[in-house]
Structure formats: C-alpha cells, structure tokens
Amino acid sequence: TTVTKLISQDQRVTIPGLSAGTAYEIGVTATNIGGSSAEVVAALTPSSTAIRDWETDALGVAPFGVTRQKGSLEISATGISAWGRNAIHHTGALIGDVYAASFDDFAIAANQRVIWRRGVSATLGEARDGMMLRANLAGVGTVTGNPAMALGYFFNTAGVNGLLRVYKVDASGLILLGTAYTLADAADRWLRASVIGNALLFEYSADGVTWTTAVSVTDSTYSSSGAVQWCNGLGGPTPSGVYIDSVQYEAL
C-alpha cells in the first residue's frame, strides 16, 4: 500500500492504519525551488505507542481517530491563547450525563499510560473531565448517573483550580480511590495517568518533562485489557471550556 502525504518543514505527520509489530518502509523526498532530492527509505516497525495532536486536521470537524459515545466533539484553533495550536473540545452546554469519546488507534491493553495537555478557557464552573483507562466500552450505558461513561479507572481533573482524583467506575457510579490532590493552576497542565498491574498513578507537569505525583493507589478490580475514553462534564456547567491536545499513549 502506498500513502503519499505532502508536508512542510518541521511538520509532523501521522500515518493511520499501521499495525504494531508489522514492518513497513517509509520513503521521504525533499522538494524546493531547485527540485526534488532522491528518495530516502527507512524501515519502520511501529510499537503500541500512539500520538494524537490534530495539527493537520481541518478546523470545526470531528477529530480523526476518535469515536464519540455521547456529545459533540470538534477540532478548534481557539481554546487557550498560549497554545497557538489545534486542540479538541466538546461544544455546547452540558444537559445531563457526560460527554464521552474513545481513541480508536490506542491499543487495547491491560497496562497503559496516557499523557495529555489540558487547558481550560472558562473561569467559572467545575469543568470536570479526565481519561478512563482499561475502559470497558461494552459497559457504556450501565453506569448509574453517568451512562455515557465506560467501566474502568477514571483519572479526573475538576475545575480551573481544582482536584486530581482517581476513581473506580462501576455500575453504581464513581468510587474514589485514595485521596484527592489539590492542584493549583490546573488551567494549563500536562497530565499523566498510568495503570500498571494493580498500581494506579496520576501525575502532573508544567512542561511535560518534569513530573510530580498527585495520587498513587492500588486496586485490583479491573485487571483485564481495556480501551481509553475521554469523559467531560460530570455535572459541571462548562464542558466546552475544556481543551485537550498532544495526547500520547503507550501500552506497557
């Protein structure tokens, strides 16, 4: 299969549809006013790591590689002024339930780590959102009070200046694991959620390089493989004020 993409200098490109563990050949040709270079071919075997940043996607449309379980979802160039880049967010006010969407190209795995940049443009309201790891998407519709959520472990950020929490989500709702962590200035942060064996770890960073542990807890309720789901709202009035970008995933 041949996939041809035209990219500019310093632009990153994502090639969809590649399978982890399968060998591919990637050819690159540089072109400027003087002509084209010889093609450089390199061998590539993708791992189960995936990155979604939507930089080359069209604005105002549904993001590639994301399936909505409930609510509207679009790519936007607005959001947080300091970013100056595309991000995804839910549009419109929340009317009951939560917005939810899953990542199609993230591997189904038991041990998972997700890194994402979160920004909040709203100055009021809970703006509660987060990532569900080991998500059982077949369980969507069974959670009391939040039927768009899957069953699994939910790493939740609440408010502009709010709390980081880890929940176990079952049919009865959200069950807090460990102690909530108060995070000042959550309006523009890098977040990292990991589930490795029975260990659940929620971390934050100002630059995506240096990480601080917020919540560390163990639980053995969900030990099997699952997907990744982003949930937004949870009773908060301003889900459309939350933006996420540069989502990185690794099956460990």
Side-chain angles (χ1 to χ4, degrees):
T1 301
T2 299
V3 178
T4 301
K5 289 180 175 287
L6 179 63
I7 62 175
S8 57
Q9 183 178 359
D10 298 326
Q11 181 180 345
R12 181 168 58 189
V13 62
T14 298
I15 302 176
L18 303 185
S19 300
T22 300
Y24 298 89
E25 284 191 345
I26 306 297
V28 179
T29 300
T31 302
N32 59 22
I33 194 171
S36 298
S37 69
E39 184 180 37
V40 177
V41 179
L44 171 68
T45 301
S47 68
S48 53
T49 299
I51 300 175
R52 298 298 302 155
D53 63 11
W54 303 283
E55 281 304 289
T56 60
D57 290 21
L59 299 179
V61 302
F64 174 82
V66 183
T67 297
R68 295 177 296 118
Q69 277 75 55
K70 184 170 182 180
S72 56
L73 186 66
E74 72 173 21
I75 299 168
S76 173
T78 56
I80 314 308
S81 58
W83 287 14
R85 57 190 300 139
N86 291 0
I88 63 171
H89 77 126
H90 288 103
T91 59
L94 184 69
I95 304 175
D97 197 18
V98 298
Y99 290 138
S102 56
F103 293 89
D104 303 334
D105 51 357
F106 290 2
I108 303 297
N111 295 328
Q112 301 174 316
R113 178 180 292 126
V114 180
I115 298 172
W116 69 102
R117 190 177 183 184
R118 176 186 188 267
V120 179
S121 61
T123 56
L124 299 173
E126 279 294 289
R128 297 182 63 188
D129 72 299
M131 293 289 180
M132 181 88 69
L133 275 63
R134 286 185 187 163
N136 175 10
L137 299 180
V140 171
T142 63
V143 180
T144 300
N146 300 289
M149 298 183 77
L151 308 179
Y153 292 118
F154 183 52
F155 295 78
N156 172 231
T157 306
V160 176
N161 300 311
L163 302 176
L164 301 185
R165 301 183 179 97
V166 177
Y167 291 98
K168 174 181 69 176
V169 182
D170 63 19
S172 66
L174 280 66
I175 302 168
L176 182 66
L177 299 177
T179 304
Y181 181 89
T182 302
L183 175 63
D185 184 20
D188 184 3
R189 289 283 188 171
W190 290 87
L191 301 172
R192 182 164 70 180
S194 305
V195 179
I196 305 173
N198 295 336
L200 287 70
L201 186 64
F202 201 3
E203 303 164 280
Y204 67 90
S205 172
D207 56 10
V209 177
T210 302
W211 295 92
T212 300
T213 298
V215 182
S216 178
V217 67
T218 59
D219 188 82
S220 58
T221 301
Y222 299 114
S223 58
S224 60
S225 298
V228 175
Q229 185 189 47
W230 178 41
C231 299
N232 188 6
L234 285 81
T238 55
S240 61
V242 178
Y243 296 78
I244 66 169
D245 184 36
S246 300
V247 184
Q248 306 171 42
Y249 172 79
E250 187 176 5
L252 303 171

